[in-house]
Amino acid sequence: MLTKVIEQSKIDHFAKWFERAEKIVIVSHVGPDGDAIGSSLGLWHFFNSQDKIANVIVPNAFPDFLKWMPGSKDVLLYDHYKEFADQLIAEADVICCLDFNAIHRIDAVGEAVLASPARKILIDHHLHPEDFCKIIISHPEISSTSELVFRLICRMGYFSDISKEGAECIYTGMMTDTGGFTYNSNNREIYFIISELLSKGIDKDAIYRKVYNTYSESRLRLMGYVLSQMKVYPDYHAALISLTKNEQGKFDYVRGDSEGFVNIPLSIKGVVFSCFLREDTEKPMIKVSLRSVGTFPCNQLASEFFNGGGHLNASGGEFYGTMEEAKAVLEQALEKFKPLLNAKG
Ligand code: 5GP
Ligand code: MN
């Protein structure tokens, strides 16, 4: 049995909206990851099973390793189909905002969502949700939005209507937001849910291979290169990797090729904090990805130094300036956070 994580009043409130709704739009964050796409499609499959007209809209493209997911071809990319997406958002009865806590995280989609008269619900697990939805289901203690989607569907009484395809999407989001159940994954209920998803016929081993072991040769060579350039700061229990546009060009870089790189330095004994700086291919900025193990608060460092935020162990931000300047800022941040980096925890 699962603990009733989501408040009953919110389940009842959403159930009322749901009964009456014909058209539902699901939106998720820019640079969609496995949990953004997994939770969105998990909910989308469920809405389809109830004969709702449902659409998933995300601001921009998602990585190739998620394209096997059932329904992924129907995900609308806002930067390609703005007019159609604007119409869907304006005409929706209900808009479900998944896996983000702040309206700026959906980029240009935000304007259309704010302008729409639709009823809005937030389902998310990031800290400090902004107040742009009538129903806010926000649970930072839950490791993925996909898990929250599973819990919501079950609490509404529809477990039996979750299809194998929907279960595959939910599982993918749960798996990717916990690094294949290697962090934020000690809640025993996660494994109860996995057991329920397996009862739908999913092949979890195949899903793991499809997500993690379908990379290109050039991605692996890029990984080797990036690691060979890694800087380790033993006095700070930290490591830094980086990737300029020039370097991306040498390795036929395509979006998503550096997915997961930021986690690798954490496999060094003693390293509790990893930073990955990558020159963005679209905007004139450096994307900052931060990861930690234990109690080191990446999100605090992200918000103080890189105008960002996120979770304790996984966060990010943006830097406007050169790679050298970004590295200098990171080194200042290391100095400031030295006591926490050296704390045993
Ligand atoms: P990633 O390193 O995978 O891009 O991001 C990890 C986590 O950091 C995301 O799930 C999100 O919570 C947070 N994050 C990433 N980039 C930003 C950002 O620019 N601003 C904020 N507030 N959070 C971010
Ligand atoms: Mn998530």
Side-chain angles (χ1 to χ4, degrees):
M1 270 296 284
L2 291 175
T3 312
K4 291 187 171 171
V5 168
I6 305 170
E7 297 99 305
Q8 190 61 44
S9 59
K10 293 182 180 177
I11 305 274
D12 296 341
H13 197 165
F14 181 65
K16 265 196 208 127
W17 289 4
F18 179 66
E19 273 163 33
R20 292 191 209 126
E22 275 179 44
K23 300 175 188 170
I24 307 180
V25 163
I26 299 164
V27 295
S28 194
H29 61 77
V30 67
D33 58 8
D35 190 32
I37 300 296
S39 58
S40 296
L41 287 176
L43 198 56
W44 180 79
H45 282 287
F46 165 64
F47 289 157
N48 284 340
S49 78
Q50 306 304 306
D51 298 325
K52 305 290 179 186
I53 301 167
N55 282 280
V56 177
I57 299 170
V58 292
N60 59 357
F62 52 91
D64 279 349
F65 64 81
L66 298 174
K67 294 203 172 141
W68 63 271
M69 290 172 76
S72 72
K73 287 185 186 60
D74 291 309
V75 173
L76 264 169
L77 306 182
Y78 192 78
D79 58 1
H80 280 64
Y81 301 99
K82 180 178 183 319
E83 264 174 44
F84 182 47
D86 278 340
Q87 189 185 346
L88 290 173
I89 292 169
E91 292 175 357
D93 299 309
V94 171
I95 298 176
C96 303
C97 299
L98 265 56
D99 201 39
F100 64 96
N101 58 350
I103 198 78
H104 77 88
R105 295 277 296 142
I106 54 172
D107 268 4
V109 189
E111 216 173 294
V113 167
L114 290 178
S116 171
R119 297 185 159 97
K120 291 159 206 164
I121 177 172
L122 179 79
I123 307 170
D124 180 45
H125 67 138
H126 296 89
L127 289 167
H128 314 308
E130 281 178 9
D131 195 13
F132 56 92
C133 290
K134 184 96 183 274
I135 304 178
I136 298 180
I137 297 180
S138 169
H139 289 276
E141 79 281 14
I142 296 295
S143 56
S144 64
T145 299
S146 297
E147 177 179 337
L148 286 171
V149 163
F150 178 88
R151 288 176 180 273
L152 175 65
I153 297 171
C154 290
R155 289 283 296 289
M156 288 169 69
Y158 291 102
F159 171 75
S160 57
D161 288 339
I162 296 178
S163 62
K164 178 183 173 190
E165 290 74 23
E168 287 174 335
C169 297
I170 291 170
Y171 182 79
T172 303
M174 292 176 64
M175 180 185 80
T176 54
D177 256 22
T178 56
F181 306 103
T182 62
Y183 50 81
N184 294 335
S185 56
N186 285 330
N187 181 348
R188 58 201 284 262
E189 295 193 358
I190 290 173
Y191 304 94
F192 177 79
I193 294 172
I194 295 174
S195 166
E196 296 289 76
L197 295 172
L198 286 166
S199 79
K200 300 287 181 180
I202 69 165
D203 182 341
K204 66 182 268 305
D205 304 344
I207 291 175
Y208 185 95
R209 281 197 304 280
K210 281 190 256 195
V211 171
Y212 292 116
N213 294 337
T214 54
Y215 291 122
S216 62
E217 177 184 335
S218 56
R219 188 231 189 219
L220 217 60
R221 295 197 188 281
L222 175 70
M223 184 193 286
Y225 171 78
V226 165
L227 294 178
S228 73
Q229 305 294 311
M230 173 180 62
K231 184 158 183 193
V232 178
Y233 301 86
D235 294 346
Y236 300 83
H237 302 280
L240 167 67
I241 54 175
S242 63
L243 189 58
T244 62
K245 267 201 226 175
N246 185 22
E247 292 165 329
Q248 292 167 25
K250 290 183 190 154
F251 288 89
D252 303 323
Y253 181 90
V254 292
R255 209 191 164 81
D257 267 359
S258 54
E259 190 74 31
F261 283 9
V262 63
N263 295 303
I264 305 173
L266 294 176
S267 62
I268 302 169
K269 190 172 179 182
V271 169
V272 299
F273 173 64
S274 167
C275 173
F276 178 35
L277 301 172
R278 177 181 55 79
E279 273 183 6
D280 199 73
T281 43
E282 286 148 32
K283 288 195 234 162
M285 59 110 170
I286 293 175
K287 183 68 208 167
V288 181
S289 275
L290 306 174
R291 295 291 185 276
S292 69
V293 286
T295 55
F296 183 74
C298 288
N299 44 2
Q300 222 173 300
L301 193 152
S303 89
E304 276 184 45
F305 285 87
F306 294 110
N307 198 21
H311 311 274
L312 185 84
N313 295 130
S315 53
E318 295 177 352
F319 182 82
Y320 290 83
T322 66
M323 185 58 87
E324 288 318 307
E325 287 164 349
K327 288 181 179 175
V329 168
L330 189 262
E331 289 177 4
Q332 282 169 27
L334 290 181
E335 196 53 47
K336 161 128 199 234
F337 281 85
K338 196 170 185 183
L340 284 177
L341 287 163
N342 285 311
K344 297 257 174 291

